[in-house]
C-alpha cells in the first residue's frame, strides 16, 4: 500500500520524481511544518511534498523502526467511507475482498481490478458494519481510483442499489506508528487494552485526548503497528503527543518506509503492481477467498479464475544478492544470458546486510534457490531466488 512516484527505490538518496512539480503544485499534509521543523528533507511524491528522511540517515531510521518505534505521516493516502444497505455487495463488485465474510471492526488487504484482471490499486478495506466500510487507497492512485469507483457506483445505483461514497481525506489525516515498542507507547494514550485489537482489527477511540480516532492494527513495515485516522484539525496535536510520550518514538520518512516494506516482501504499487499485472502473476492469489473464487462476481473475475485453473507466463518472486544493487527496471537473465524477467523493486537491506529485490520471471526460473543474474550497468550480478518475506513478519495476533 504505497504508490510509486520514483523509477528506483528511495533508499540510496535517489531523487524521487518522474516529473517536475512547481512548489505551488505540491500538496502539503497538515504536518508539513512539523516535518520541516524537525529537519525533514521534503521531496515531491505523487503530487505531495513529503519527507524522505530527517536528520538521521535512512539506514538508521530503518533500524530504529525495527528495534523501537517510528512515526510516519501517511496523510497523503486516500481515505474513503462507504455507507448503505448494499455497501457489501458494491465492494465485492469492485474488489476481490470477501466483505461479507469479514467480522465487524476487522479489515483485509485487497485488490481492485480492471476487466482484464489487471490491478488498478491495492487497498485496505475495514468493515465497520454490514452497511459501513472504511477504505484506504494509495495516494498516487487517488484520482484514477475516484474516477473508476464513481463510474462503477453510478452504474450500480442505476440498478436500484443503495450505497454512498464519502471522501474523508480532507477531514481526516493518517498517522502510522510502527515498531516493536508501538503498544508500549500507544498504551499510554488510550483507555483500552491494545491486546483487544490484534492484526487487522480496528476500533474507534480517543488517543492522547484526541477524540474520534480510528485505530487499525496494520502497517507497511512488517512490524507490529497501527494506523490512526485522526481529525485533521487535531493531527498535529496527536503527532506531537506521540513524539513527546517517549524518547523511543522518532519521525521516519518515505526512504525508510520503502526499505522496510521491501524487507517485509510487501508490494509497491507502480513498481511491483500495475494495471497489466494480475493477482495470480503477483503471487497474491491468497487475497481471493474460497467463497469469492466460488461466487466470482468481481470485475476481472473471468480472467483471474482462468489463471487460477491454468498457468501464467510470469510470477513475482524475491531475490537476494551482493555487490551492486539491482534497481527497478534491471533485466533478469538466466545462466545462458537470456532475458527472463525484470526487477521491480530493489535496495540494500539494512537489517540483513545484503541486497534484496522483487521482480517477475518466467515460472521455471522462479523456484526457491534458483540462480539468476541481474544486468546492472550491463554487467551480470549473481542473485538467488529467495522466499518472501525476507524478514519474518512480527504482526500481533493476540
Amino acid at each position: 500500500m504505497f504508490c510509486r512516484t520514483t523509477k528506483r527505490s528511495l533508499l540510496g538518496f535517489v531523487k524521487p520524481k518522474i516529473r517536475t512539480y512547481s512548489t505551488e503544485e505540491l500538496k502539503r499534509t497538515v504536518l508539513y511544518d512539523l516535518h520541516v521543523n524537525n529537519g525533514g528533507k521534503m521531496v515531491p511524491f505523487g503530487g505531495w511534498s513529503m519527507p524522505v528522511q530527517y536528520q538521521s540517515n535512512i539506514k538508521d531510521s530503518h533500524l530504529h523502526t525495527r528495534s523501537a518505534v517510528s512515526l510516519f505521516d501517511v496523510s497523503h493516502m486516500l481515505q474513503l467511507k462507504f455507507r448503505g444497505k448494499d455497501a457489501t455487495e458494491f465492494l465485492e463488485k469492485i474488489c476481490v475482498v470477501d466483505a461479507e465474510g469479514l467480522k465487524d471492526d476487522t479489515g483485509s488487504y485487497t485488490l481492485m481490478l480492471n476487466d482484464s484482471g489487471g490491478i488498478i490499486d491495492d487497498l485496505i478495506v475495514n468493515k465497520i458494519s454490514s452497511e459501513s466500510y472504511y477504505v484506504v487507497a494509495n495516494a498516487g492512485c487517488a484520482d484514477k481510483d475516484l474516477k473508476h469507483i464513481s463510474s462503477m457506483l453510478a452504474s450500480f445505483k442505476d440498478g436500484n442499489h443503495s450505497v454512498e461514497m464519502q471522501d474523508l481525506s480532507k477531514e481526516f489525516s493518517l498517522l502510522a506508528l510502527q515498531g516493536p515498542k508501538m503498544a508500549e507507547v500507544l498504551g499510554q494514550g488510550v483507555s483500552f487494552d491494545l491486546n483487544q485489537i490484534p492484526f487487522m482489527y480496528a476500533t474507534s477511540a480517543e488517543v492522547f485526548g484526541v477524540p474520534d480516532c480510528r485505530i487499525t492494527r496494520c502497517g507497511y513495515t512488517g512490524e507490529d503497528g497501527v494506523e490512526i485516522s485522526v481529525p485533521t484539525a487535531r493531527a498535529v496535536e496527536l503527532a506531537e503527543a506521540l513524539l513527546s510520550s517517549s524518547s523511543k518514538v522518532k519521525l521516519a520518512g518515505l526512504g525508510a518506509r520503502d526499505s522496510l516494506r521491501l524487507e517485509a516482501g510487501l508490494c509497491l504499487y507502480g513498481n511491483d503492481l500495475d494495471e497489466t499485472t494480475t493477482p495470480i502473476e503477483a503471487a497474491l492469489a491468497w487475497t481471493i477467498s474460497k467463497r469469492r473464487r466460488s461466487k466470482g462476481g468481481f470485475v476481472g473475475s473471468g480472467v483471474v479464475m482462468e489463471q487460477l485453473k491454468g498457468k501464467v507466463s510470469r510470477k513475482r518472486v524475491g531475490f537476494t544478492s551482493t555487490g551492486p544493487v539491482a534497481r527497478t527496471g534491471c533485466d533478469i537473465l538466466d545462466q545462458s544470458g537470456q532475458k527472463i524477467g525484470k526487477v521491480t523493486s530493489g535496495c540494500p537491506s539494512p537489517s540483513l546486510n545484503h541486497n534484496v529485490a522483487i521482480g517477475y520471471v518466467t515460472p521455471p526460473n522462479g523456484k526457491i534457490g534458483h540462480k539468476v543474474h541481474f544486468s546492472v550497468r550491463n554487467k551480470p550480478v549473481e542473485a538467488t531466488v529467495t522466499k518472501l518475506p525476507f524478514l519474518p513478519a512480527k504482526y500481533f495476533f493476540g
Side-chain angles (χ1 to χ4, degrees):
M1 284 283 302
F2 189 72
C3 198
R4 175 183 68 88
T5 57
T6 70
K7 290 187 177 179
R8 299 193 290 168
S9 168
L10 294 172
L11 196 66
F13 308 101
V14 179
K15 293 182 179 180
K17 60 182 179 180
I18 287 178
R19 54 163 289 193
T20 300
Y21 293 91
S22 70
T23 304
E24 291 74 20
E25 277 186 291
L26 292 175
K27 292 178 280 189
R28 297 178 176 182
T29 74
V30 72
L31 298 180
Y32 178 86
D33 289 341
L34 182 145
H35 298 315
V36 172
N37 292 338
N38 282 275
K41 180 181 178 182
M42 309 304 289
V43 298
F45 187 83
W48 293 79
S49 180
M50 298 296 293
V52 67
Q53 67 182 93
Y54 294 86
Q55 293 174 341
S56 61
N57 61 44
I58 291 172
K59 180 178 179 179
D60 288 346
S61 183
H62 174 114
L63 294 174
H64 179 80
T65 308
R66 291 272 183 248
S67 62
V69 59
S70 294
L71 180 64
F72 299 82
D73 177 14
V74 289
S75 303
H76 58 311
M77 303 288 279
L78 177 64
Q79 299 182 70
L80 301 172
K81 198 164 197 176
F82 294 87
R83 290 191 182 95
K85 67 179 181 64
D86 298 311
T88 297
E89 183 181 347
F90 179 69
L91 285 171
E92 290 197 348
K93 177 70 174 176
I94 66 170
C95 302
V96 303
V97 68
D98 186 355
E100 183 179 305
L102 287 175
K103 297 178 181 178
D104 290 357
D105 288 321
T106 67
S108 177
Y109 173 78
T110 191
L111 306 168
M112 184 163 61
L113 310 181
N114 59 29
D115 290 333
S116 302
I119 300 169
I120 295 174
D121 200 2
D122 56 339
L123 321 166
I124 298 291
V125 171
N126 285 273
K127 186 175 188 175
I128 301 170
S129 73
S130 62
E131 297 187 4
S132 182
Y133 291 84
Y134 166 69
V135 176
V136 179
N138 282 302
C141 298
D143 290 343
K144 74 167 184 175
D145 284 359
L146 287 170
K147 182 178 179 180
H148 173 74
I149 296 170
S150 296
S151 174
M152 293 290 295
L153 190 60
S155 175
F156 187 75
K157 290 170 72 174
D158 278 348
N160 251 351
H161 293 93
S162 176
V163 60
E164 299 295 336
M165 178 179 70
Q166 179 185 3
D167 186 349
L168 304 176
S169 305
K170 291 183 179 179
E171 187 180 350
F172 287 84
S173 294
L174 195 61
L175 305 179
L177 191 66
Q178 301 284 304
K181 304 298 183 183
M182 179 281 295
E184 177 185 325
V185 170
L186 187 61
Q188 303 172 55
V190 296
S191 60
F192 63 92
D193 182 359
L194 282 165
N195 289 333
Q196 295 175 359
I197 54 167
F199 182 64
M200 294 309 296
Y201 278 65
T203 190
S204 295
E206 182 176 287
V207 184
F208 283 97
V210 179
D212 302 323
C213 294
R214 183 166 182 82
I215 305 162
T216 305
R217 200 150 194 168
C218 67
Y220 194 55
T221 63
E223 297 291 335
D224 186 18
V226 294
E227 292 188 352
I228 307 171
S229 181
V230 52
T232 294
R234 300 190 67 176
V236 173
E237 176 187 342
L238 178 56
E240 290 176 339
L242 288 165
L243 290 168
S244 62
S245 67
S246 170
S247 60
K248 297 173 183 176
V249 186
K250 293 185 180 180
L251 287 165
L254 296 175
R257 193 164 181 251
D258 190 32
S259 56
L260 288 160
R261 70 89 193 170
L262 187 47
E263 286 185 346
L266 301 175
C267 293
L268 168 62
Y269 192 87
N271 275 38
D272 312 308
L273 306 175
D274 59 30
E275 294 196 39
T276 68
T277 304
T278 70
I280 315 308
E281 293 170 330
L284 295 173
W286 59 267
T287 62
I288 309 171
S289 70
K290 183 178 180 180
R291 174 181 161 271
R292 294 310 322 265
R293 294 182 190 201
S294 174
K295 182 180 178 181
F298 54 86
V299 174
S301 59
V303 174
V304 171
M305 294 304 109
E306 284 301 312
Q307 288 188 347
L308 280 168
K309 296 174 186 175
K311 295 181 179 180
V312 292
S313 61
R314 59 178 182 144
K315 68 176 186 176
R316 181 176 67 92
V317 297
F319 304 92
T320 53
S321 66
T322 58
V325 180
R327 304 285 187 179
T328 302
C330 281
D331 287 338
I332 305 171
L333 313 174
D334 64 16
Q335 295 296 319
S336 67
Q338 294 297 307
K339 181 179 173 181
I340 55 172
K342 275 191 179 294
V343 172
T344 52
S345 291
C347 74
S349 166
S351 304
L352 300 173
N353 294 315
H354 56 63
N355 302 327
V356 294
I358 289 174
Y360 286 80
V361 293
T362 52
N365 293 287
K367 296 178 181 179
I368 303 301
H370 188 73
K371 300 293 184 182
V372 298
H373 286 94
F374 295 145
S375 178
V376 182
R377 293 187 289 277
N378 295 318
K379 294 182 179 180
V381 173
E382 187 175 83
T384 303
V385 178
T386 305
K387 184 179 179 180
L388 294 172
F390 301 108
L391 280 180
K394 299 175 183 176
Y395 306 131
F396 175 76
F397 290 99

